[in-house]
Amino acid sequence: MRIQVDKNQQEINFKKHVWTIIEIAQQKAKEGIEGFYYPIPRNQGIDTYTLIDKVEKETEESVYGGYKCIKDGQIKFSIR
């Protein structure tokens, strides 16, 4: 049996994670919270550091992972 990977679905899932993180960051910023944790996407073909870089780029680095932001299966994002 041959396993096929749908690259389009992986890209859709990646974008969903990025926008979910950005929405969470907007909600936390409105509440005055300067950071939050997001679970690392598992078994979806998503590179964690690529996800962090994309979020930083989309938010013009107002939401960032920083150094050593991955811990215990979660990504710590900070809000500037």
Side-chain angles (χ1 to χ4, degrees):
M1 182 169 113
R2 190 167 188 197
I3 298 173
Q4 293 182 352
V5 177
D6 186 354
K7 295 289 183 183
N8 291 332
Q9 188 60 46
Q10 281 185 339
E11 184 64 27
I12 291 167
N13 289 344
F14 180 79
K15 288 179 182 179
K16 281 183 182 179
H17 282 289
V18 169
W19 289 108
T20 299
I21 292 167
I22 292 171
E23 288 176 10
I24 292 169
Q26 289 173 339
Q27 292 170 355
K28 297 294 184 184
K30 286 179 185 176
E31 296 170 7
I33 299 171
E34 296 179 352
F36 63 95
Y37 288 92
Y38 188 79
I40 295 172
R42 300 275 185 203
N43 303 322
Q44 296 182 21
I46 296 174
D47 177 55
T48 306
Y49 291 103
T50 304
L51 180 64
I52 294 167
D53 289 341
K54 184 69 172 176
V55 169
E56 290 175 349
K57 182 179 176 187
E58 290 291 328
T59 62
E60 298 175 350
E61 297 191 11
S62 61
V63 177
Y64 63 98
Y67 182 66
K68 294 186 179 179
C69 62
I70 299 172
K71 184 177 180 182
D72 297 329
Q74 297 199 355
I75 306 168
K76 181 179 181 185
F77 285 100
S78 300
I79 303 168
R80 293 183 193 191

